Amino acid sequence: MSIINTAEKRNYFREFKCEVLTSTPYNKELVKSFVSKKARNQLELYITSEDKAWAEDTEGETRVYLIKDKSGRIALFFSIKCGLLIGENLKYRLTEDERQFVDILIEAKKEGNEKARENYYDAGLSLYGERVDVLFEIADKRVESKMEAKATGQVENWKVEKCVSAIELRHFCKNESYQIPEKVGIPLGFWLFWEQIVPTILDITKRVGCKYIYLFAADRTEEFEVSDMKKLVRYYKNAFKFYECDEDDLIIVKPEYDEYCYGLIQEVSKLEKNRDAVWHEFSDV
């Protein structure tokens, strides 16, 4: 069987449709045939269990989508939710040693011990050079911030440089029992991301401000080899055009259950351009 050309491939993936999991009761039974044996079957359990994906979608915690072909078979599911990135001034990024030094300075300032602070300045100058001024600035700002929070009754609030709007691509999983025709000749998840998921995200951002999308690429646990993690991260960078948070001086707000995951980001404004660039790379010309 001959491989179809690029235009035909693009039309093939555009014929799939994307729908919300709970948009019809029929989907509750349909997802039970979904197969994913990766990550200890966790993604399969998530989409097939009524108390997980179905419940989260119903309650509005996460919006879960199914991508189906023309015959109604599920090829892939993904989920998205509102997220948040934090802007970071690089000069305030601390090493572990600097963090411990700042903690000492904070205690000295809280105690009003100016003599100790003078001694710490001399010691810090020998250890960190001119950067000691930045460390003192950080310590002073943190003490002032805590005092302000206490005075306003907002002790548990977290003050940051800036907050940046974002959408989290929380799940992204293809149905291992779904087979695409050999004539297509390219990975299912790759093109469904660009032709189904990206348009869905762009449609959402027409109604609500959002600068970035982000995801957690891999689970860095003993059950997930480091080499596999690097391979997956590299794939997300090359195929989906995600990149490191550090490149834009951003930090992802990471929940405890994602502690060992690797975060990557992408600007929403570049999604369409990146999609066209990817198709050009696979052009028949």
Side-chain angles (χ1 to χ4, degrees):
M1 183 181 294
S2 60
I3 301 296
I4 58 178
N5 63 38
T6 301
E8 290 171 325
K9 290 174 184 177
R10 194 165 194 177
N11 287 333
Y12 172 80
F13 286 106
R14 283 178 170 177
E15 288 179 347
F16 284 74
K17 71 173 184 174
C18 181
E19 67 179 45
V20 174
L21 171 65
T22 56
S23 61
T24 169
Y26 172 70
N27 286 337
K28 187 178 290 188
E29 291 299 318
L30 189 62
V31 294
K32 290 181 180 179
S33 62
F34 193 95
V35 178
S36 175
K37 299 305 179 184
K38 295 180 180 179
R40 308 181 304 281
N41 299 355
Q42 290 302 306
L43 292 174
E44 180 182 315
L45 289 171
Y46 175 78
I47 193 63
T48 58
S49 301
E50 290 186 27
D51 63 342
K52 292 183 171 63
W54 191 273
E56 287 186 10
D57 195 51
T58 300
E59 296 165 4
E61 168 66 20
T62 305
R63 182 61 68 226
V64 184
Y65 293 88
L66 303 178
I67 298 180
K68 300 178 180 179
D69 65 12
K70 291 188 296 183
S71 66
R73 294 180 301 158
I74 301 173
L76 181 149
F77 88 86
F78 71 97
S79 71
I80 55 178
K81 63 188 299 184
C82 294
L84 181 70
L85 300 178
I86 295 173
E88 180 184 38
N89 190 325
L90 284 179
K91 79 171 184 177
Y92 296 138
R93 185 174 297 175
L94 304 177
T95 64
E96 183 60 35
D97 188 48
E98 288 175 338
R99 189 175 293 109
Q100 292 177 6
F101 184 73
V102 167
D103 288 341
I104 293 172
L105 296 178
I106 289 173
E107 289 304 313
K109 186 173 181 67
K110 287 166 64 176
E111 293 171 2
N113 193 337
E114 289 303 316
K115 180 62 177 176
R117 280 170 58 86
E118 290 177 10
N119 293 334
Y120 290 140
Y121 185 88
D122 292 336
L125 195 60
S126 64
L127 290 170
Y128 309 110
E130 294 181 358
R131 183 163 169 76
V132 69
D133 291 322
V134 173
L135 301 180
F136 266 74
E137 179 187 347
I138 292 171
D140 290 344
K141 280 187 174 182
R142 289 185 180 177
V143 171
E144 291 169 8
S145 180
K146 287 182 179 179
M147 292 175 63
E148 178 185 329
K150 188 174 182 180
T152 56
Q154 297 180 328
V155 178
E156 295 182 359
N157 285 8
W158 183 19
K159 200 170 184 179
V160 298
E161 286 288 316
K162 64 177 179 178
C163 296
V164 182
S165 57
I167 289 174
E168 179 187 354
L169 178 57
R170 188 174 173 216
H171 299 100
F172 176 65
C173 182
K174 67 178 182 180
N175 186 357
E176 293 175 14
S177 66
Y178 186 87
Q179 300 295 322
I180 60 173
E182 291 183 13
K183 65 179 182 179
V184 177
I186 47 180
L188 177 72
F190 181 60
W191 292 115
L192 286 182
F193 172 80
W194 289 111
E195 291 304 322
Q196 294 294 330
I197 298 176
V198 165
T200 300
I201 292 172
L202 290 175
D203 186 54
I204 291 170
T205 58
K206 290 176 183 177
R207 296 187 292 275
V208 61
C210 181
K211 187 171 177 59
Y212 288 90
I213 61 170
Y214 67 93
L215 53 76
F216 296 110
D219 186 359
R220 293 183 293 186
T221 65
E222 292 180 1
E223 297 181 26
F224 196 99
E225 297 294 333
V226 173
S227 59
D228 291 333
M229 182 195 72
K230 290 181 178 179
K231 182 179 179 181
L232 185 56
V233 168
R234 189 163 55 247
Y235 177 72
Y236 280 125
K237 287 182 177 180
N238 295 334
F240 300 148
K241 307 304 179 184
F242 284 86
Y243 55 90
E244 308 278 351
C245 304
D246 290 357
E247 294 183 32
D248 286 359
D249 300 339
L250 295 169
I251 298 173
I252 296 177
V253 178
K254 186 182 296 186
E256 186 176 346
Y257 57 77
D258 281 325
E259 181 179 359
Y260 297 103
C261 293
Y262 199 100
L264 296 170
I265 63 174
Q266 181 171 180
E267 281 192 74
V268 169
S269 63
K270 295 178 180 177
L271 282 171
E272 279 196 273
K273 181 179 178 181
N274 286 339
R275 180 174 59 170
D276 291 339
V278 166
W279 276 113
H280 183 72
E281 290 174 16
F282 281 81
S283 173
D284 301 308
V285 179

